[in-house]
Amino acid sequence: MSRIISEIGLTPDDYKVMQATVDQLFANGIPSVGRQLSWNNPDSGSKGTVKLRARQGSCVYLQHFVFPKAATQSREIRTRWCQDANGTWLLTP
């Protein structure tokens, strides 16, 4: 994931802000499909959104649209997160 993040022009701090938004999405349990949150990093100028696009069993599929600093178009990243037996959300291939 870190390779993808750097290839599209996001900084490690951008990733931290993006991950905090994902954590916020799951803060009150599994959100409804379609729920979307936005994030921005004023230090770098990057911003984006994360949306829960699907749910299947104990896994959810997220769709990220990111705008790296000075980008004119968004870049899309899709991720899958699954809950383990303890209820912890893990990024999975």
Side-chain angles (χ1 to χ4, degrees), residues 5-84:
I5 295 297
S6 78
E7 284 178 0
I8 64 173
L10 295 178
T11 68
D13 285 338
D14 292 334
Y15 179 75
K16 289 178 187 175
V17 174
M18 188 171 81
Q19 183 56 48
T21 305
V22 170
D23 293 344
Q24 184 182 4
L25 192 66
F26 295 123
N28 296 317
I30 301 173
S32 301
V33 171
R35 180 151 188 240
Q36 179 174 298
L37 295 176
S38 298
W39 63 270
N40 73 48
N41 183 352
D43 294 332
S44 72
S46 296
K47 61 185 177 181
T49 61
V50 57
K51 178 180 180 180
L52 195 155
R53 71 178 177 87
R55 180 177 176 191
Q56 188 173 44
S58 62
C59 297
V60 296
Y61 297 83
L62 301 181
Q63 183 176 29
H64 304 262
F65 286 103
V66 297
F67 291 87
K69 179 183 178 180
T72 57
Q73 291 186 330
S74 68
R75 301 287 304 267
E76 181 182 9
I77 303 169
R78 291 186 179 210
T79 58
R80 180 173 79 154
W81 294 79
C82 296
Q83 276 187 309
D84 67 10

